[in-house]
Amino acid sequence: GHLPENIREKVHNHPCYSEEAHHYYARMHVAVAPACNIQCHYCNRKYDCANESRPGVVSELLTPDQAIKKTLAVAATIPQMTVLGIAGPGDPLANPEKTFATFRALSEQAPDIKLCVSTNGLALPESVDELAKHNIDHVTITINCVDPEIGAKIYPWIFWKNRRIKGIKGAEILIEQQQKGLEMLTARGILVKVNSVMIPGVNDKHLAEVSKVVKAKGAFLHNVMPLIAEAEHGTFYGVMGQRGPEPSELKELQDQCEGDMNMMRHCRQCRADAVGLLGEDRGSEFSVDKIEEME
Ligand code: SF4
Ligand code: SF4
């Protein structure tokens, strides 16, 4: 598929959107957001959020101040640095003070850096006004279903208005919030990418429908990521041994969705503290200790 001109203009130098750009432009993630407001069956809270990262990785948690220093230090060292994302280790919008303190300072001190954020979407509608105030290039929403019955198999509970809500009811609220957030963002001209985790036997047959729905609401890119099932990652839906998709199954689904929407196939599921060009990680050069030393 081809991107409309106005969107192509915005994303031509974005490492995550174009396979070509990712050789020339660098991005980084800062992990400032520890809390989460839902439970995904595929999540192990010891590790980074799977909204955007590969499971089984523990990122260095930073305070907003440390994240700001780190970003400025990276931008001074890596000239191709164009995009700063907040992707975890929990849900960025479930940590609004930390996430927005970081965005606020960076929009002032480094206005050339594009900002992005990924979220499960539960707190998205209430965050749209604040997001619109910053230099937000795009928001990634992880949408694994549009059907609450399937959702109940993926999300055992959500935390909503100070209560834990389980099962289909919880999934229904999450889906509503995701869809509402998506509509509110696209209505304001903020780009929305949708991530989906492909879980064989749970939502694999349903994701083509998800692709149609989110495209109709204005999402510009769909990124189907494989569930990465690892023994140490624990159980899924109380079942040990939930498998991830085979590469051929993933490709088949991506091909199937392609007719409806621009598909992203080169996402690396970078860690929540990744630094550098895609496929490289220079995070260890910019650890908190080293950043503090640089001053
Ligand atoms: Fe874990 Fe992310 Fe799901 Fe929260 S949204 S439960 S951090 S995978
Ligand atoms: Fe880009 Fe995917 Fe890495 Fe995010 S996780 S920075 S979208 S390649």
Side-chain angles (χ1 to χ4, degrees), residues 223-249:
N223 175 27
V224 179
M225 313 189 292
L227 174 74
I228 300 175
E230 287 165 44
E232 53 156 340
H233 196 52
T235 62
F236 182 90
Y237 196 30
V239 183
M240 273 310 271
Q242 166 67 47
R243 69 177 182 89
E246 297 296 333
S248 60
E249 293 172 307

Side-chain angles (χ1 to χ4, degrees), residues 72-176:
L72 297 174
V74 170
T77 315
I78 304 180
Q80 311 97 312
M81 169 53 204
T82 46
V83 183
L84 179 277
I86 300 182
D91 187 81
L93 300 183
N95 303 261
E97 296 85 7
K98 294 182 168 116
T99 294
F100 289 123
T102 308
F103 282 160
R104 216 171 292 129
L106 289 175
S107 343
E108 283 165 17
Q109 296 175 43
D112 292 341
I113 297 179
K114 299 176 178 192
L115 306 174
C116 66
V117 62
S118 63
T119 178
N120 60 45
L122 184 64
L124 188 50
E126 72 205 49
S127 310
V128 167
D129 280 344
E130 180 74 36
L131 285 168
K133 287 187 198 151
H134 305 293
N135 195 10
I136 302 288
D137 179 76
H138 73 279
V139 174
T140 300
I141 316 174
T142 300
I143 300 182
N144 294 320
C145 56
V146 289
D147 171 347
E149 291 199 18
I150 295 175
K153 296 182 187 159
I154 302 174
Y155 308 105
W157 53 260
I158 66 167
F159 197 72
W160 177 249
K161 301 198 195 292
N162 300 315
R163 282 198 309 134
R164 189 173 292 214
I165 301 178
K166 295 184 188 162
I168 293 181
K169 185 78 201 128
E172 204 169 70
I173 295 169
L174 177 62
I175 291 166
E176 266 172 34

Side-chain angles (χ1 to χ4, degrees), residues 36-40 42-45 48-51 89-91 120:
C36 191
N37 47 7
I38 68 172
Q39 178 68 62
C40 303
Y42 51 73
C43 179
N44 180 334
R45 293 295 176 98
D48 287 356
C49 172
N51 280 336
D91 187 81
N120 60 45

